[in-house]
Amino acid sequence: FSLITAFCISATVVSQSHITERAQNEYRKAQEKEYVAKLRDYLAGQGYNNSGVTLKSVTDTDGSRTYTATIHHAGIDRLTEIQREDLKLQLANIPTTVQDNIYHEFLILNY
């Protein structure tokens, strides 16, 4: 009987941890979507309407994440390197609930 009880308790714990992990993943995805929306809104306010924005994450062994936001817009292509660096500094100040590091890069297609 005690073996069955132990099995049931451990199955419950595993099930609850799975639910918790899934809930955390859903919450993280919602934070990421919210950040991308804020990023697009900010860019539109700066004259870069309909910017292409991709947010990718890399998870380290300790569970921390590093995000890279890749942004494309023809108007950004025409900026000087100094102007792009200034824009990156502005983007770094956008409020976010994402707790991990976010880096911004521009996909430049016109040289």
Side-chain angles (χ1 to χ4, degrees), residues 28-29 32 35 54-70 96 98-105:
R28 179 179 50 81
K29 290 290 184 191
E32 292 169 1
Y35 179 72
T54 304
L55 186 65
K56 294 182 182 179
S57 69
V58 174
T59 305
D60 203 353
T61 55
D62 65 0
S64 65
R65 287 185 176 80
T66 301
Y67 290 92
T68 302
T70 304
T96 178
V98 175
Q99 299 299 315
D100 302 289
N101 294 323
I102 301 175
Y103 298 96
H104 301 91
E105 65 181 19

Side-chain angles (χ1 to χ4, degrees), residues 22-38:
R22 188 174 69 205
Q24 288 174 345
N25 285 337
E26 288 174 9
Y27 177 70
R28 179 179 50 81
K29 290 290 184 191
Q31 288 178 317
E32 292 169 1
K33 285 182 181 181
E34 179 183 326
Y35 179 72
V36 169
K38 285 182 181 179

Side-chain angles (χ1 to χ4, degrees), residues 16-18 21 30 42-44 46 48 51 56 65-66 76 83 89 104:
Q16 287 175 346
S17 68
H18 179 68
E21 183 179 329
Y42 181 83
L43 290 166
Q46 299 300 309
Y48 307 113
S51 293
K56 294 182 182 179
R65 287 185 176 80
T66 301
I76 295 173
Q83 291 170 317
L89 291 173
H104 301 91

